[in-house]
PDB file of all heavy atoms in Angstrom:
ATOM      1  N   PRO H1196      -0.676 123.431  35.493  1.00 83.00           N
ATOM      2  CA  PRO H1196      -1.118 122.226  34.797  1.00 83.00           C
ATOM      3  C   PRO H1196      -2.546 121.842  35.191  1.00 83.00           C
ATOM      4  O   PRO H1196      -3.340 121.437  34.355  1.00 83.00           O
ATOM      5  CB  PRO H1196      -0.143 121.144  35.253  1.00 83.00           C
ATOM      6  CG  PRO H1196       0.893 121.803  36.073  1.00 83.00           C
ATOM      7  CD  PRO H1196       0.552 123.245  36.246  1.00 83.00           C
ATOM      8  N   THR H1217      -9.750 105.327  31.358  1.00 97.00           N
ATOM      9  CA  THR H1217      -8.519 105.906  30.810  1.00 97.00           C
ATOM     10  C   THR H1217      -7.488 104.795  30.613  1.00 97.00           C
ATOM     11  O   THR H1217      -7.646 103.682  31.102  1.00 97.00           O
ATOM     12  CB  THR H1217      -7.938 106.984  31.745  1.00 97.00           C
ATOM     13  OG1 THR H1217      -7.835 106.426  33.039  1.00 97.00           O
ATOM     14  CG2 THR H1217      -8.798 108.223  31.777  1.00 97.00           C
ATOM     15  N   PHE H1244     -15.466  96.179  24.368  1.00 98.00           N
ATOM     16  CA  PHE H1244     -16.674  96.869  24.825  1.00 98.00           C
ATOM     17  C   PHE H1244     -17.761  96.758  23.758  1.00 98.00           C
ATOM     18  O   PHE H1244     -17.527  97.149  22.600  1.00 98.00           O
ATOM     19  CB  PHE H1244     -16.369  98.355  25.089  1.00 98.00           C
ATOM     20  CG  PHE H1244     -15.372  98.570  26.185  1.00 98.00           C
ATOM     21  CD1 PHE H1244     -14.003  98.562  25.902  1.00 98.00           C
ATOM     22  CD2 PHE H1244     -15.770  98.755  27.495  1.00 98.00           C
ATOM     23  CE1 PHE H1244     -13.065  98.750  26.907  1.00 98.00           C
ATOM     24  CE2 PHE H1244     -14.842  98.945  28.511  1.00 98.00           C
ATOM     25  CZ  PHE H1244     -13.487  98.931  28.222  1.00 98.00           C
ATOM     26  N   PRO H1285      12.933 118.530  29.320  1.00 97.00           N
ATOM     27  CA  PRO H1285      14.023 119.014  28.469  1.00 97.00           C
ATOM     28  C   PRO H1285      14.000 120.529  28.262  1.00 97.00           C
ATOM     29  O   PRO H1285      15.055 121.155  28.063  1.00 97.00           O
ATOM     30  CB  PRO H1285      13.812 118.294  27.137  1.00 97.00           C
ATOM     31  CG  PRO H1285      12.731 117.320  27.319  1.00 97.00           C
ATOM     32  CD  PRO H1285      12.157 117.466  28.680  1.00 97.00           C
ATOM     33  N   GLY H1344      13.174 139.022  18.083  1.00 98.00           N
ATOM     34  CA  GLY H1344      14.428 138.266  18.028  1.00 98.00           C
ATOM     35  C   GLY H1344      14.265 136.797  17.683  1.00 98.00           C
ATOM     36  O   GLY H1344      15.209 136.012  17.861  1.00 98.00           O
ATOM     37  N   VAL H1374      24.451 123.813   9.854  1.00 95.00           N
ATOM     38  CA  VAL H1374      23.599 123.111  10.827  1.00 95.00           C
ATOM     39  C   VAL H1374      23.236 124.090  11.942  1.00 95.00           C
ATOM     40  O   VAL H1374      24.102 124.635  12.613  1.00 95.00           O
ATOM     41  CB  VAL H1374      24.322 121.872  11.393  1.00 95.00           C
ATOM     42  CG1 VAL H1374      23.511 121.252  12.524  1.00 95.00           C
ATOM     43  CG2 VAL H1374      24.569 120.850  10.291  1.00 95.00           C
ATOM     44  N   PRO H1376      22.184 124.935  15.499  1.00 96.00           N
ATOM     45  CA  PRO H1376      22.190 124.183  16.763  1.00 96.00           C
ATOM     46  C   PRO H1376      20.796 124.115  17.388  1.00 96.00           C
ATOM     47  O   PRO H1376      20.042 125.088  17.336  1.00 96.00           O
ATOM     48  CB  PRO H1376      23.142 124.975  17.667  1.00 96.00           C
ATOM     49  CG  PRO H1376      23.500 126.199  16.943  1.00 96.00           C
ATOM     50  CD  PRO H1376      22.944 126.168  15.550  1.00 96.00           C
ATOM     51  N   ILE H1398     -16.500 101.996   7.218  1.00 98.00           N
ATOM     52  CA  ILE H1398     -16.540 103.441   7.502  1.00 98.00           C
ATOM     53  C   ILE H1398     -15.676 104.117   6.435  1.00 98.00           C
ATOM     54  O   ILE H1398     -14.468 103.857   6.345  1.00 98.00           O
ATOM     55  CB  ILE H1398     -15.995 103.747   8.917  1.00 98.00           C
ATOM     56  CG1 ILE H1398     -16.796 102.983   9.976  1.00 98.00           C
ATOM     57  CG2 ILE H1398     -16.004 105.246   9.172  1.00 98.00           C
ATOM     58  CD1 ILE H1398     -16.211 103.063  11.383  1.00 98.00           C
ATOM     59  N   ALA H1407     -15.684 110.340   6.589  1.00 98.00           N
ATOM     60  CA  ALA H1407     -16.842 110.960   5.937  1.00 98.00           C
ATOM     61  C   ALA H1407     -18.059 110.837   6.854  1.00 98.00           C
ATOM     62  O   ALA H1407     -18.322 109.756   7.398  1.00 98.00           O
ATOM     63  CB  ALA H1407     -17.114 110.268   4.602  1.00 98.00           C
ATOM     64  N   ASN H1455     -27.615 113.209  18.313  1.00 98.00           N
ATOM     65  CA  ASN H1455     -28.130 112.165  17.421  1.00 98.00           C
ATOM     66  C   ASN H1455     -27.982 110.769  18.030  1.00 98.00           C
ATOM     67  O   ASN H1455     -28.823 109.900  17.802  1.00 98.00           O
ATOM     68  CB  ASN H1455     -27.450 112.263  16.061  1.00 98.00           C
ATOM     69  CG  ASN H1455     -27.956 113.486  15.301  1.00 98.00           C
ATOM     70  OD1 ASN H1455     -29.155 113.751  15.283  1.00 98.00           O
ATOM     71  ND2 ASN H1455     -27.051 114.256  14.725  1.00 98.00           N
ATOM     72  N   LEU H1484     -12.256 131.943   3.244  1.00 98.00           N
ATOM     73  CA  LEU H1484     -11.174 131.560   2.336  1.00 98.00           C
ATOM     74  C   LEU H1484     -10.145 132.680   2.236  1.00 98.00           C
ATOM     75  O   LEU H1484     -10.496 133.855   2.248  1.00 98.00           O
ATOM     76  CB  LEU H1484     -11.714 131.275   0.934  1.00 98.00           C
ATOM     77  CG  LEU H1484     -12.852 130.264   0.773  1.00 98.00           C
ATOM     78  CD1 LEU H1484     -13.021 129.883  -0.699  1.00 98.00           C
ATOM     79  CD2 LEU H1484     -12.642 129.013   1.592  1.00 98.00           C
ATOM     80  N   LYS H1519      -8.214 142.795   6.067  1.00 98.00           N
ATOM     81  CA  LYS H1519      -8.286 142.426   4.647  1.00 98.00           C
ATOM     82  C   LYS H1519      -9.589 141.678   4.412  1.00 98.00           C
ATOM     83  O   LYS H1519      -9.903 140.733   5.137  1.00 98.00           O
ATOM     84  CB  LYS H1519      -7.097 141.551   4.278  1.00 98.00           C
ATOM     85  CG  LYS H1519      -7.080 141.206   2.804  1.00 98.00           C
ATOM     86  CD  LYS H1519      -5.740 140.648   2.391  1.00 98.00           C
ATOM     87  CE  LYS H1519      -5.676 140.535   0.887  1.00 98.00           C
ATOM     88  NZ  LYS H1519      -4.360 140.124   0.422  1.00 98.00           N
ATOM     89  N   LYS H1528     -20.356 138.822  -2.615  1.00 97.00           N
ATOM     90  CA  LYS H1528     -20.454 138.261  -1.250  1.00 97.00           C
ATOM     91  C   LYS H1528     -19.080 138.171  -0.596  1.00 97.00           C
ATOM     92  O   LYS H1528     -18.106 137.800  -1.250  1.00 97.00           O
ATOM     93  CB  LYS H1528     -21.052 136.866  -1.319  1.00 97.00           C
ATOM     94  CG  LYS H1528     -22.528 136.918  -1.607  1.00 97.00           C
ATOM     95  CD  LYS H1528     -23.232 135.699  -1.104  1.00 97.00           C
ATOM     96  CE  LYS H1528     -24.725 135.917  -1.247  1.00 97.00           C
ATOM     97  NZ  LYS H1528     -25.463 134.711  -1.332  1.00 97.00           N
ATOM     98  N   ILE H1544     -13.038 139.777  13.377  1.00 98.00           N
ATOM     99  CA  ILE H1544     -13.152 138.535  12.605  1.00 98.00           C
ATOM    100  C   ILE H1544     -14.497 137.875  12.885  1.00 98.00           C
ATOM    101  O   ILE H1544     -15.081 137.244  12.008  1.00 98.00           O
ATOM    102  CB  ILE H1544     -11.967 137.579  12.889  1.00 98.00           C
ATOM    103  CG1 ILE H1544     -11.573 136.871  11.585  1.00 98.00           C
ATOM    104  CG2 ILE H1544     -12.237 136.520  13.924  1.00 98.00           C
ATOM    105  CD1 ILE H1544     -11.008 137.690  10.529  1.00 98.00           C
ATOM    106  N   ARG H1556     -23.951 140.382   1.501  1.00 97.00           N
ATOM    107  CA  ARG H1556     -23.231 141.060   0.425  1.00 97.00           C
ATOM    108  C   ARG H1556     -22.352 142.154   1.052  1.00 97.00           C
ATOM    109  O   ARG H1556     -22.693 142.719   2.087  1.00 97.00           O
ATOM    110  CB  ARG H1556     -24.211 141.667  -0.566  1.00 97.00           C
ATOM    111  CG  ARG H1556     -24.834 140.622  -1.515  1.00 97.00           C
ATOM    112  CD  ARG H1556     -26.177 141.069  -2.024  1.00 97.00           C
ATOM    113  NE  ARG H1556     -26.150 142.430  -2.520  1.00 97.00           N
ATOM    114  CZ  ARG H1556     -25.903 142.775  -3.803  1.00 97.00           C
ATOM    115  NH1 ARG H1556     -25.702 141.845  -4.696  1.00 97.00           N
ATOM    116  NH2 ARG H1556     -25.874 144.030  -4.177  1.00 97.00           N
ATOM    117  N   SER H1573     -14.051 153.039  16.165  1.00 96.00           N
ATOM    118  CA  SER H1573     -14.085 154.351  15.522  1.00 96.00           C
ATOM    119  C   SER H1573     -15.521 154.556  15.035  1.00 96.00           C
ATOM    120  O   SER H1573     -16.284 153.589  14.951  1.00 96.00           O
ATOM    121  CB  SER H1573     -13.165 154.385  14.313  1.00 96.00           C
ATOM    122  OG  SER H1573     -11.876 153.973  14.705  1.00 96.00           O
TER     123      SER H1573
END
Side-chain angles (χ1 to χ4, degrees):
T1217 52
F1244 297 87
V1374 173
I1398 302 172
N1455 288 316
L1484 306 193
K1519 183 166 190 174
K1528 286 205 172 156
I1544 217 67
R1556 283 154 48 91
S1573 306

